[in-house]
Amino acid sequence: MRLLVAAIGRLKQGPERDLAARYRERAAALGRGLGFAACDAIEMPESRARRASDRCAEEAGAILSHLPTNGVLLAYDERGRSDLPSERLAERVGAWRDSGRPVLVVAIGGADGLDESVRNRADLTLSFGAATLPHGLVRVLAFEQLYRSLTILAGHPYHRGDPGGQQPA
């Protein structure tokens, strides 16, 4: 399975870009031994349409163009779940891999968010909470969660988790 973070907008040079690259590289290296062929990122330009709904629709087309018919789409959106523990996310990533799905696309929308077509197509929609976060931090967090999922699947000590195991599914 290939891992792909598909994000609207470009990260400028700086600490967010560096940290996202560091987690991407870690995920790519660890993932090879776990059946993940690659961990890539693609930056798509922000739409220049006048209306927010038109911008979201145009950006949705760009995101969805990277998703094959049988690929998995994980969308980060403010309306998504914020209660899924890392262990459960790792289980889902492992199950998607084990079912032979070719790619997991992690979608990060632009300043106006994700179009309804992306949210409706998503296999899972998550949120990093109610707070509005800068785009660069969302990208860092998305790569970190991919890396964390892989460490959990590998039994690596990076993730310490809940010792009681009493987390919602």
Side-chain angles (χ1 to χ4, degrees):
M1 172 180 258
R2 178 178 175 224
L3 303 172
L4 175 67
V5 173
I8 301 298
R10 293 189 62 82
L11 283 183
K12 296 179 177 140
Q13 293 296 328
E16 294 91 356
R17 186 174 193 79
D18 295 344
L19 192 53
R22 183 180 314 162
Y23 281 117
R24 187 197 63 73
E25 291 164 5
R26 286 179 182 180
L30 182 59
R32 282 191 285 275
L34 297 171
F36 296 94
C39 184
D40 298 316
I42 185 154
E43 296 179 324
M44 294 158 284
E46 295 178 50
S47 170
R48 297 197 182 276
R50 292 182 142 250
R51 297 181 342 183
S53 60
D54 294 338
R55 287 191 297 271
C56 286
E58 189 176 306
E59 292 167 354
I63 289 169
L64 294 174
S65 72
H66 294 283
L67 182 69
T69 304
N70 57 346
V72 177
L73 180 60
L74 167 60
Y76 278 106
D77 183 82
E78 63 186 5
R79 292 159 281 231
R81 289 181 66 175
S82 61
D83 65 340
L84 188 71
S86 296
E87 294 88 351
R88 301 299 83 77
L89 177 59
E91 287 172 4
R92 288 188 184 205
V93 170
W96 290 326
R97 174 204 57 198
D98 296 346
S99 69
R101 308 282 289 271
V103 64
L104 167 59
V105 176
V106 177
I108 302 171
D112 298 304
L114 288 172
D115 187 71
E116 185 177 353
S117 64
V118 175
R119 292 192 312 272
N120 288 340
R121 169 55 184 86
D123 296 88
L124 179 62
T125 304
L126 296 177
S127 169
F128 288 118
T132 301
L133 298 173
H135 184 80
L137 288 182
V138 171
R139 189 142 0 147
V140 169
L141 291 171
F143 274 117
E144 192 281 339
Q145 283 299 290
L146 282 176
Y147 175 66
R148 182 175 298 274
S149 292
L150 298 180
T151 64
I152 291 168
L153 292 172
H156 187 282
Y158 176 79
H159 178 74
R160 302 210 171 147
D162 177 18
Q166 302 298 317
Q167 298 179 352

